[in-house]
Amino acid sequence: RQWHSPAMRRCQAECVITATVYILLVSSSQGEPSDRMHEVLIDCDLGLGMLKKDGKYLCPADIDDAYAIIDAIHTSEIKVAGITTVFGNTDLESANEALEGLLDRVKDSRISWQSGAVRASSHGNRCPPGAASAADFLAKSLEESPKKIIAIGPLTNIACLTERHPNSISKIISLLIVMGRSPGVEFHLQGKDVWDANFERDPHAVGTILETRIPMILFPFELTKHSLVTTNQVLRFRDSGDLGAYVYRNSIDYLKLWKTQFEEDGFHPWDAAPVAHLKNPSLFLCETRDLSLVMGEPPLLVAQRSLLLSMNETTSAHISHTFCFAFADKDASKEMSRLHLDYGIRS
């Protein structure tokens, strides 16, 4: 859901946590999973198969956000303290409806949530409509205890948080985001152009956050494109309980769209990467890099070992962040694609 062709861009809907099956990004043979509990807030633009009419197009929205959320909810190493929604793959109203549908089908779920931004921020308005409510919700949770934030949509709500509640900045242990690129990397999938959707939907929000020096961990397209969940894996959930059936029902049309667009039998679980990293960081090859925001056409978020951008580009250099550029090996990428029948899926 993070990178789509121009045709899919017209169809995408991002803010709906509908129900989905979760990807179990279990520990691999390359290292032991972390034994600490990660308390997290999730800011998302889920769209699990939600339909949105855009002109003459009626297309199912991305499904990977919901897979990531369900995985986080059912992972023993992770405690989800709250969820906020943001515009993106779909309109906010559909996103909220989807989130309610998802949480209603997760067994024993008592996770609170808050609706967020309906559109992108700007230089003159870092808190567009809806963002303030999400920012207040996040700030209240951070005041109770420091947390990590998994942000798998546009960063509008997070930027508003830093503007509206500057004292909360120090309470963010790290911000895990799905965006960015190495210098010179172009976004292509099966020979077709795609885009850095989470970033490009609100680059101004990213610039706002870079100014705060919040430590970030980035999971870019060049990493996540190597992990694929097959249609056959999704079919396993058709007869696996209420949540599993709901996931299957809301995934199948998107899988057909992806097959038509990219001739791939399945989908890429882009947004599952941050959850996988919390569970087992040894699955990834990561390094410290500098981030630069290049406000061109299109805007770019570039992660580089040294600042080598040409003088005629408008850039902002910031502190170093963690950039996960590859999987440790082929087995690691398969771990991120492995679906698991358990917990809520069987509930």
Side-chain angles (χ1 to χ4, degrees):
R1 76 105 175 70
Q2 165 195 7
W3 305 276
H4 305 89
S5 67
M8 291 186 74
R9 251 174 119 158
R10 295 191 291 265
C11 311
Q12 287 313 324
E14 228 178 330
C15 197
V16 293
I17 278 189
T18 327
T20 113
V21 54
Y22 65 94
I23 299 172
L24 185 59
L25 311 169
V26 275
S27 56
S28 76
S29 58
Q30 323 206 356
E32 292 300 317
S34 171
D35 58 359
R36 64 171 294 185
M37 172 66 71
H38 302 280
E39 191 172 9
V40 306
L41 293 162
I42 298 178
D43 185 63
C44 60
D45 60 340
L46 288 93
L48 185 61
M50 298 291 285
L51 294 178
K52 179 182 179 182
K53 188 172 182 180
D54 189 352
K56 64 180 179 180
Y57 297 94
L58 186 63
C59 302
D62 289 52
I63 60 179
D64 62 309
D65 302 67
Y67 282 71
I69 292 214
I70 296 176
D71 185 22
I73 290 174
H74 293 100
T75 294
S76 60
E77 299 95 338
I78 296 174
K79 178 182 178 182
V80 180
I83 299 173
T84 50
T85 56
V86 65
F87 80 98
N89 282 332
T90 190
D91 61 275
L92 196 66
E93 182 179 354
S94 297
N96 293 339
E97 178 185 343
L99 177 55
E100 287 184 316
L102 172 65
L103 295 179
D104 284 347
R105 289 168 172 84
V106 173
K107 187 176 182 180
D108 299 327
S109 174
R110 296 180 178 85
I111 298 172
S112 57
W113 66 278
Q114 176 64 51
S115 178
V118 301
R119 58 176 171 79
S121 64
S122 64
H123 282 307
N125 184 11
R126 293 182 175 180
C127 290
S133 296
D136 293 349
F137 176 89
L138 295 169
K140 182 178 179 180
S141 181
L142 290 167
E143 182 63 30
E144 295 171 357
S145 63
K147 296 175 181 69
K148 298 179 180 180
I149 298 180
I150 299 175
I152 49 179
L155 300 185
T156 315
N157 290 336
I158 312 303
C160 180
L161 169 68
T162 65
E163 173 79 3
R164 189 173 173 87
H165 300 280
N167 291 337
S168 294
I169 293 174
S170 62
K171 304 291 183 63
I172 302 173
I173 299 170
S174 59
L175 180 64
L176 291 80
I177 60 177
V178 183
M179 61 179 66
R181 70 182 72 202
S182 295
V185 169
E186 296 183 353
F187 284 27
H188 301 297
L189 199 60
Q190 303 299 331
K192 298 181 179 180
D193 293 339
V194 292
W195 64 311
D196 197 353
N198 287 349
F199 166 66
E200 291 185 47
R201 283 190 169 114
D202 196 346
H204 293 295
V206 177
T208 297
I209 293 166
L210 285 173
E211 294 173 359
T212 68
R213 296 180 169 260
I214 296 170
M216 292 190 287
I217 306 176
L218 289 81
F219 303 90
F221 171 78
E222 63 205 74
L223 163 80
T224 55
K225 69 177 182 179
H226 295 294
S227 184
L228 184 74
V229 175
T230 67
T231 300
N232 281 338
Q233 286 175 286
V234 177
L235 288 174
R236 294 168 51 201
F237 298 94
R238 182 170 46 189
D239 303 312
S240 60
D242 186 31
L243 179 56
Y246 184 57
V247 167
Y248 167 77
R249 238 179 8 252
N250 287 277
S251 297
I252 201 67
D253 287 342
Y254 179 80
L255 293 171
K256 292 176 181 177
L257 175 66
W258 196 262
K259 178 73 171 179
T260 300
Q261 291 283 331
F262 296 105
E263 301 179 351
E264 290 185 320
D265 185 24
F267 74 97
H268 296 274
W270 322 108
D271 290 336
V275 182
H277 187 271
L278 290 181
K279 295 165 67 174
N280 189 7
S282 67
L283 293 175
F284 302 88
L285 297 178
C286 306
E287 63 185 13
T288 299
R289 292 195 187 183
D290 296 325
L291 295 182
S292 292
L293 181 62
V294 185
M295 295 302 287
E297 283 294 333
L300 302 175
L301 180 61
V302 182
Q304 50 193 356
R305 296 183 179 91
S306 60
L307 296 174
L308 300 176
L309 297 174
S310 60
M311 296 297 292
N312 62 349
E313 292 175 324
T314 302
T315 68
S316 277
H318 300 273
I319 66 169
S320 295
H321 300 276
T322 301
F323 187 81
C324 297
F325 57 91
F327 288 105
D329 57 29
K330 290 183 179 179
D331 289 337
S333 67
K334 291 178 181 178
E335 288 292 343
M336 208 181 99
S337 302
R338 194 158 64 128
L339 301 181
H340 190 71
L341 287 169
D342 202 357
Y343 327 113
I345 294 302
R346 289 192 181 278
S347 65

